Amino acid sequence: MSHNGFMISEMAKRVRDILSMFVLAIFSKVIGTKLYSRRSAPAEPESEANVCLSWRLAVEANNMPGWSTVPLHCLSHVETYMMGGQYEQDVNYIVEQIESYVSQVVLKGDGCDAWILDIDDTCISNLFYYKDKNYGCDPFDPGGFVAWVMKGECPAIPAILGLFTKLVEGGFKVFLLTGRDQQTLAPATIANLHNQGFIGYHRVIFRNQSFKGESAVAFKSEVRKQLVEEGYRIWGNVGDQWTDLQGECLGNRTFKIPNPMYCVP
Amino acid sequence: MSHNGFMISEMAKRVRDILSMFVLAIFSKVIGTKLYSRRSAPAEPESEANVCLSWRLAVEANNMPGWSTVPLHCLSHVETYMMGGQYEQDVNYIVEQIESYVSQVVLKGDGCDAWILDIDDTCISNLFYYKDKNYGCDPFDPGGFVAWVMKGECPAIPAILGLFTKLVEGGFKVFLLTGRDQQTLAPATIANLHNQGFIGYHRVIFRNQSFKGESAVAFKSEVRKQLVEEGYRIWGNVGDQWTDLQGECLGNRTFKIPNPMYCVP
C-alpha cells in the first residue's frame, strides 16, 4: 500500500469511527424519546432526566404537598430547567394566560377590584440564592435566607413585573401577600420591591406577630378573608406555592407559577 | 496536485463539512437547553417542543381550566409524550406517591374506609381512541366516543390496576366514580372494567338522569357528599381531570394523573 493509500485508509477509518459514534448517539437519543414503547413491553431503563421530569410534574400538579428538598439526583435537571430558559418560558406562558383572563375582566371600578400576588419567586426571584444551595437539594437554611433577603437584591421576574404594571394601570388594587416576617424583613422587602420597579401596589401584607406559627394556608386564607370582608373582590391570585392557592377566599381565578426549588408547607 | 492528493483534500473537506454540521447541531442543542440565558438578554427563538412543554405544564398545574383542544402545533409533542414512555413513567411515579401515602393510612376497619377512583384515563385508557383523534387536536366527537366506549376495549392503566388491587386487598371500599352516562354506557363499562381486572370494587357510580346537565364538579361533589353522609371516610381521590379533584368532600388526599389529550370542564 502506498503512503497516500495508507493515509486515505486511516482517514476513512477515523471518519467511520467518528460517524458511528455520532449515529449511535443520535440513534440512542431517538430510541429514548421517540419510539412507541408498548405498554406490555418491559420498561426501558429510566434515565435520570425522565425520572426528574416525573418528579417535577408531580410537584407542579400538587401530588407531593409538603415535599422537603429536591432529590440529589435531580440537581442537574433542576439547574438546567431554571437556568436554561424553560423556567422563564413556562412563567411567560402562564403570564400570557393570566393577561388573557385579565383582558376579559370587567372591573366594577368602585375601588374594590383586587388582585393578589405572592412575593418570593412570584414577583421577585430567589434563584441566585438557591443557585448556591444546590438549587434546593440542600436543606432550608433559615439564617442564610434571612441574610439574603436583607440584602434586598432579589431581581424582578420580568413577566410578572409586566403583569403587575398592567394590573396597576388597569385599575386593580394590587395586594402583595407574603409569608416574610414583618418585624425583621419589611424594610428590606419594600426597598427591594421598589428598586425592582414594583411601584403602585395598594398594600404589602407581611406575616405579623399575630400569625406567627400558623401554616401558610391558614395565614393567607385569614388575610384574604379580611380583604373580602373589607369589600374587595379578588379577581385573581398568583403564587409559586400551592399553599398560596389553597384555603378560603381564593379569588375568582388562581394561577400557579412553577417552582421546583423549594416547598412552603 | 496528484490524484491521491486531490482525493485526500476532497475527503478532508467532506469530513470537515460533516463534522461542522454535527458540531453545529450539537452546539445549537447545547445553547438551546444548557447555557444560562440571562434574564435581561433578548429571548431566544422558542422551539415548538419548549412551547408545548409550557402548554402541558400549564394544563397539569390547572392554570388553564376548561381548555378545549390540544394546540395543533403540539400534536407531535403530545404523541411523543403519550407513546414514548414519559406518560407511563409519570403515572407510575404518581402511583408510587399514592402507595407511599396508602402505606401510612391507619384504617379504622369499620367498613367505612373509602377510596375514590375516576374511570376514564385513570383506571382504563382511551389512548387508542385519542390516537385516531390526533391525540386531542381534533374537537371532541361525542358519537365517536360513545361507539368506542361501547366496544369495551379500553385497556387498564397498569400502575392504577396495581393500586386498585392493593386498595381492595388492604380493606378499602373502592368507589369508581365516572361521568359516563348510566343509561347507555353502564353495561359496556362494567364489562370493560371486569375484562381488565378491576374486580372487587364496592360500587361503580355513573352519571344518572338526575345529574344530567350538571357540571362534572357539581355532579362528583354531590356524590362524594352523599358518601360522606352515608358515613364513609374518603382517604384518597384519584383522577386525570382537575374537575375530579375540586368541589366538596374531596377526600383526605387528592392525586392528579396526567392527561394532555382532553379536558372535562
Side-chain angles (χ1 to χ4, degrees), chain B residues 236-249:
Chain B
N237 178 8
V238 184
D240 67 303
Q241 299 291 321
W242 276 101
T243 48
D244 296 330
L245 311 175
Q246 293 174 319
E248 292 178 78
C249 302

Side-chain angles (χ1 to χ4, degrees), chain B residues 159-236:
Chain B
I160 301 281
L161 179 57
L163 168 68
F164 170 87
T165 306
K166 281 184 188 161
L167 289 169
V168 170
E169 289 175 355
F172 288 90
K173 293 275 194 291
V174 178
F175 294 84
L176 306 182
L177 175 52
T178 177
R180 288 187 177 191
D181 178 59
Q182 178 151 31
Q183 210 175 0
T184 51
L185 304 177
T189 302
I190 288 166
N192 195 161
L193 288 165
H194 191 270
N195 72 36
Q196 290 301 307
F198 287 90
I199 293 164
Y201 51 78
H202 194 60
R203 229 182 270 172
V204 195
I205 303 169
F206 293 90
R207 185 194 279 268
N208 63 25
Q209 287 298 96
S210 66
F211 292 116
K212 224 160 191 171
E214 275 197 35
S215 71
V217 170
F219 156 59
K220 293 201 165 183
S221 286
E222 189 54 42
V223 170
R224 289 190 303 260
K225 219 168 131 186
Q226 284 172 16
L227 294 179
V228 169
E229 282 164 9
E230 286 179 44
Y232 289 105
R233 280 177 298 282
I234 304 173
W235 285 104

Side-chain angles (χ1 to χ4, degrees), chain A residues 187-203:
Chain A
T189 303
I190 289 167
N192 195 160
L193 289 165
H194 191 272
N195 72 36
Q196 291 300 306
F198 288 90
I199 293 165
Y201 52 77
H202 194 60
R203 231 182 267 172

Side-chain angles (χ1 to χ4, degrees), chain A residues 93 97, chain B residues 48 51-59 64 67-79 133-139 259-263:
Chain A
Y93 190 86
Q97 305 306 313
Chain B
E48 296 281 270
V51 171
C52 297
L53 277 173
S54 296
W55 171 80
R56 190 158 56 76
L57 184 69
V59 161
M64 299 176 66
W67 62 276
S68 56
T69 51
V70 175
L72 199 54
H73 62 269
C74 293
L75 168 55
S76 80
H77 171 83
V78 172
E79 177 176 25
K133 299 288 178 181
N134 281 315
Y135 295 94
C137 289
D138 296 355
N259 185 348
M261 299 188 299
Y262 64 90
C263 172

Side-chain angles (χ1 to χ4, degrees), chain A residues 4 15 22 33 36-37 39 46 50-51 54-55 63 80 83 86 89-90 93 128 253 255-256, chain B residues 4 15 26 33 35-37 46 50-51 54-55 57 63 80 83 86-87 89-90 93 253 255-256:
Chain A
N4 275 345
V15 169
F22 277 116
T33 59
Y36 173 34
S37 77
R39 287 179 178 285
E46 298 171 350
N50 291 358
V51 172
S54 296
W55 172 80
N63 284 324
T80 301
M83 303 301 253
Q86 190 63 43
Q89 196 178 295
D90 288 350
Y93 190 86
F128 292 120
R253 281 284 297 272
F255 298 93
K256 169 74 173 72
Chain B
N4 273 347
V15 170
I26 287 158
T33 58
L35 291 188
Y36 172 33
S37 76
E46 298 171 350
N50 291 358
V51 171
S54 296
W55 171 80
L57 184 69
N63 285 324
T80 301
M83 304 299 253
Q86 189 63 42
Y87 163 75
Q89 195 177 297
D90 288 350
Y93 190 87
R253 281 284 297 271
F255 298 93
K256 169 74 175 72

